[in-house]
């Protein structure tokens, strides 16, 4: 059985929480717009993917995180907590902190 089916409830909760939190953080900081937020499965496990259109920047910000490891499941953290960590890292650490945002903008 695919991991996306096996952990469907977990992934739904993760995705709902992550989307809500990322959109709220982007709005609060006037940082940009969430373009996509979803999950996908490959041979390594299930990934959370986000794409953000950052205000004032031409390239899209893309981020992926392995949330269900194919070799070490079930996930250690509850879905809501894992989504909060992901959301915080994506927005607050990489898009709000000036030197990290500048590093991302200048990267290939």
């Amino acid at each position: 059985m695919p991991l996306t089916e096996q952990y469907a409830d977990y992934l739904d909760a993760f995705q709902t929480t992550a989307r809500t939190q990322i959109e709220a953080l982007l709005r609060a900081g006037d940082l940009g717009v969430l373009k996509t937020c979803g999950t996908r499965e490959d041979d390594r496990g299930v990934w959370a993917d986000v794409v953000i259109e950052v205000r004032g920047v031409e390239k899209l910000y893309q981020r992926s995180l392995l949330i269900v490891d194919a070799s070490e499941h079930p996930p250690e953290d509850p879905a809501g907590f894992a989504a909060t960590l992901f959301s915080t890292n994506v927005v607050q650490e990489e898009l709000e902190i000036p030197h990290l945002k500048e590093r991302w903008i200048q990267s290939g």
Side-chain angles (χ1 to χ4, degrees), residues 30-86:
D30 194 30
L31 298 170
V33 177
L34 180 64
K35 301 301 280 181
T36 63
C37 180
T39 58
R40 65 181 164 82
E41 183 172 354
D42 66 16
D43 59 333
R44 294 182 291 171
V46 181
W47 297 81
D49 297 319
V50 295
V51 176
I52 297 171
E53 184 178 299
V54 180
R55 193 161 326 288
V57 179
E58 289 193 30
K59 73 178 188 175
L60 295 174
Y61 174 80
Q62 300 178 35
R63 180 73 186 274
S64 296
L65 175 72
L66 185 63
I67 56 174
V68 179
D69 190 320
S71 64
E72 298 178 15
H73 55 88
E76 284 184 33
D77 296 323
F81 180 68
T84 297
L85 292 175
F86 180 63

